[in-house]
Amino acid sequence: MAMLWKFMRVAKYSKTALSPKVKIRGIPTHSRHSSSKSVPSDFAANAPRSNTVELLGKSYPQDDYSNVTEKILSKVGKNLHNRKHHPLWLIKEQVKEHFYKHYLGRHGTPLFSVYDRLSPVVTVQQNFDSLLIPQNHASRRKEDNYYLNRDHMLRAHTSAHQWDLIHSGLDAFLAVGDVYRRDTVDNTHYPVFHQMEGVRLFSCHELFSSIKDGEGLQLFEQGHRTAHKQECHTMEAVRLVEFNLKQVLTKLMTHIFGDGLQVRWVDCYFPFTHPSFEMEINFQGEWMEVLGCGVMEQQLVNSAGAQDKIGWAFGLGLERLAMILYDIPDIRLFWSEDERFLKQFIGPHIWQKIKFQPLSRYPPLINDISFWLPSETYSQNDFYDLVRTIGGDLVEKVVLLDEFAHPKTKKVSHCYRIIYRHPERTLTQDEVHRIHQAIEESAVRELGVEGRF
């Protein structure tokens, strides 16, 4: 769902350009991930700017909003969720099987259809406008998204396909795919991750048929929104849809993680659902958010052509579920080509119990970097994206250690700690030094900072 893992940071990073004639035409699922051993001699943004990007067989002209990097484009087409025996594929298949078995139509066929090969390139209208996200909403900022240009982007959530699928006449579906967001750098965040969207619409008969004396109940009523009720929806309809949604998701989580699972719901706000909630599960004594959901805005449903129906939507992160279920400690591992990792998830069936056996724990190499900020336009996401572009998966974590304001000049200094650790081999100080030096040089050149190194 669009606001599942919220866009919480505001940044300014528009200088990253692609090398000339970038061509990424859809990489087969089985192709090898580019080796993280290579150290770039220079930051990609310093290359001459190309006028277009060719991606998945289409050409996109660049403009002042273009900020997608070659590092990110190299991930497009990997489709880890469709790679057989990959942990993300296992989670996807488990959810699919659960919905196929437990939710059947009138003729005994699965009620939910599944779409897991939708293009990650969407329009801004699909990603935001169709979901009623306001024009001035922080989630639209290019500092938090990867834009090909002002009109096209790499989807930030699988909700970008909601309107189109509903408009095609679907009442119940799951949409799965890779999504792209600029974010912090640590073992639980990665600029590419995978989501599953679920949507279910109900007619008046479907919602009230099992309710005693339900013949007189209605889906909609005339009026305006109050603090307790969305316009058009009756209170009875909202409560029934909310109950059905929470019941469906509780059964799903229990099916995946087993009986005895503790679940709690937290009220929250998503622009296109009302009311909306986040689900947290208790795993090893700690409450962890695993998904977001809510009753769909009727304006969204109406605009997609389903005026006589009411529905719910949910979104969950496949990495989040897989990390909990298989005890995978680092999100970078999902992109590993190491057979020691991949072979652990090959089994006779998708429900086989698997506990990830860590690869040899290689030692971290730690380097700090300090610089004076150029102006108020700087933000941390600029630096995080730069570090990811240069260091790639060799960077385990970036932490802001210190922020200092000079008492006379009022200039602000940041000190970051960068933790380098390869998940599959031991790094040498020489190769880390070259990467770190490239980060320092690029921060000065691309972000306009004044180095203190």
Side-chain angles (χ1 to χ4, degrees):
M1 223 163 75
M3 303 301 292
L4 242 193
W5 284 269
K6 292 174 278 299
F7 302 93
M8 296 185 295
R9 296 172 177 81
V10 177
K12 178 82 172 71
Y13 193 57
S14 59
K15 297 182 179 180
T16 304
L18 296 170
S19 298
K21 299 180 181 179
V22 172
K23 294 184 179 181
I24 310 290
R25 296 187 182 275
I27 305 167
T29 304
H30 59 272
S31 64
R32 285 191 60 82
H33 178 50
S34 58
S35 172
S36 56
K37 294 182 181 181
S38 61
V39 179
S41 59
D42 205 356
F43 187 34
N46 198 40
R49 189 177 182 86
S50 172
N51 292 326
T52 61
V53 179
E54 292 185 18
L55 182 62
L56 301 177
K58 294 184 178 180
S59 182
Y60 301 92
Q62 294 194 79
D63 56 28
D64 61 325
Y65 246 62
S66 305
N67 68 349
V68 64
T69 64
E70 292 182 71
K71 181 78 70 174
I72 296 302
L73 287 175
S74 71
K75 307 291 187 182
V76 178
K78 296 289 186 180
N79 296 324
L80 300 182
H81 59 288
N82 289 332
R83 183 174 179 175
K84 193 171 183 179
H85 299 302
H86 191 278
L88 298 179
W89 176 84
L90 290 174
I91 288 289
K92 182 197 73 171
E93 291 299 313
Q94 289 179 24
V95 176
K96 279 175 54 179
E97 184 177 279
H98 174 76
F99 275 89
Y100 280 174
K101 283 187 174 180
H102 292 86
Y103 303 98
L104 302 176
R106 284 178 293 180
H107 304 293
T109 56
L111 181 66
F112 285 81
S113 51
V114 178
Y115 301 86
D116 57 9
R117 298 185 182 276
L118 300 169
S119 173
V121 179
V122 297
T123 64
V124 172
Q125 194 279 335
Q126 288 175 300
N127 201 79
F128 296 120
D129 298 339
S130 71
L131 299 170
L132 312 181
I133 295 175
Q135 288 289 333
N136 61 349
H137 199 274
S139 65
R140 289 176 176 260
R141 294 172 179 168
K142 67 179 181 179
E143 293 82 2
D144 289 311
N145 301 284
Y146 288 105
Y147 284 91
L148 295 172
N149 52 43
R150 282 185 172 269
D151 298 319
H152 295 86
M153 63 187 296
L154 297 177
R155 62 187 169 207
H157 41 243
T158 46
S159 302
H161 305 290
Q162 267 189 20
W163 192 95
D164 292 323
L165 292 173
I166 294 174
H167 188 66
S168 71
L170 296 175
D171 287 343
F173 58 83
L174 303 174
V176 194
D178 44 333
V179 299
Y180 300 77
R181 297 184 194 169
R182 302 176 73 198
D183 212 333
T184 55
V185 183
D186 58 37
N187 67 337
T188 62
H189 291 86
Y190 201 78
V192 188
F193 57 102
H194 298 75
Q195 281 189 343
M196 175 177 283
E197 191 85 9
V199 169
R200 173 78 194 277
L201 301 181
F202 301 87
S203 66
C204 186
H205 172 74
E206 288 172 323
L207 191 62
F208 297 126
S209 61
S210 61
I211 304 299
K212 184 178 180 181
D213 300 324
E215 297 83 1
L217 299 177
Q218 300 294 323
L219 293 181
F220 313 111
E221 63 182 36
Q222 298 299 318
H224 301 284
R225 175 176 298 192
T226 69
H228 306 288
K229 181 170 56 180
Q230 181 175 341
E231 68 264 38
C232 295
H233 293 165
T234 63
M235 184 65 71
E236 295 83 4
V238 170
R239 293 299 178 225
L240 281 173
V241 173
E242 177 187 331
F243 175 78
N244 180 268
L245 170 61
K246 290 182 176 180
Q247 189 178 49
V248 166
L249 293 175
T250 300
K251 287 180 178 179
L252 172 63
M253 291 299 115
T254 302
H255 197 63
I256 291 175
F257 294 104
D259 294 329
L261 180 73
Q262 292 180 281
V263 172
R264 72 181 182 189
W265 298 92
V266 180
D267 292 346
C268 63
Y269 169 73
F270 301 137
F272 55 95
T273 55
H274 178 80
S276 53
F277 314 91
E278 290 174 345
M279 172 191 271
E280 296 180 348
I281 65 172
N282 194 311
F283 184 74
Q284 297 180 348
E286 180 181 353
W287 287 100
M288 303 181 67
E289 175 195 325
V290 293
L291 58 84
C293 59
V295 179
M296 298 183 71
E297 286 274 5
Q298 194 57 37
Q299 182 181 341
L300 189 163
V301 177
N302 287 349
S303 68
Q307 293 90 345
D308 58 345
K309 295 180 180 180
I310 183 176
W312 51 245
F314 72 80
L316 56 85
L318 299 185
E319 279 89 348
R320 181 67 57 87
L321 296 182
M323 291 179 80
I324 297 173
L325 183 61
Y326 302 127
D327 201 18
I328 298 174
D330 194 322
I331 197 169
R332 294 175 300 166
L333 285 166
F334 291 105
W335 296 90
S336 174
E337 292 289 345
D338 193 323
E339 289 300 317
R340 294 174 298 167
F341 173 77
L342 297 173
K343 284 184 177 180
Q344 295 188 40
F345 301 95
I346 298 177
H349 55 80
I350 60 174
W351 296 102
Q352 179 179 350
K353 291 190 177 298
I354 299 171
K355 181 177 175 60
F356 170 65
Q357 300 300 314
L359 311 179
S360 298
R361 190 61 173 169
Y362 299 103
L365 293 177
I366 300 173
N367 286 260
D368 294 346
I369 179 173
S370 300
F371 46 74
W372 296 105
L373 307 189
S375 68
E376 67 277 0
T377 59
Y378 170 88
S379 88
Q380 294 177 43
N381 265 7
D382 297 351
F383 184 64
Y384 295 150
D385 207 38
L386 184 148
V387 172
R388 281 198 186 279
T389 299
I390 298 175
D393 289 351
L394 300 185
V395 178
E396 180 178 80
K397 191 173 185 178
V398 180
V399 182
L400 177 62
L401 284 184
D402 181 61
E403 184 173 356
F404 167 73
H406 195 284
K408 293 184 178 180
T409 66
K410 306 302 180 183
K411 294 178 66 175
V412 177
S413 171
H414 277 189
C415 177
Y416 294 91
R417 172 155 293 171
I418 304 178
I419 301 174
Y420 300 89
R421 188 196 323 249
H422 198 294
E424 300 163 5
R425 64 181 178 87
T426 299
L427 293 173
T428 67
Q429 186 59 60
D430 283 345
E431 65 180 315
V432 168
H433 174 72
R434 293 197 299 273
I435 297 170
H436 197 74
Q437 187 175 31
I439 291 173
E440 292 175 338
E441 295 171 356
S442 294
V444 172
R445 183 174 62 248
E446 304 303 327
L447 304 183
V449 303
E450 180 183 342
R452 302 181 67 188
F453 18 89

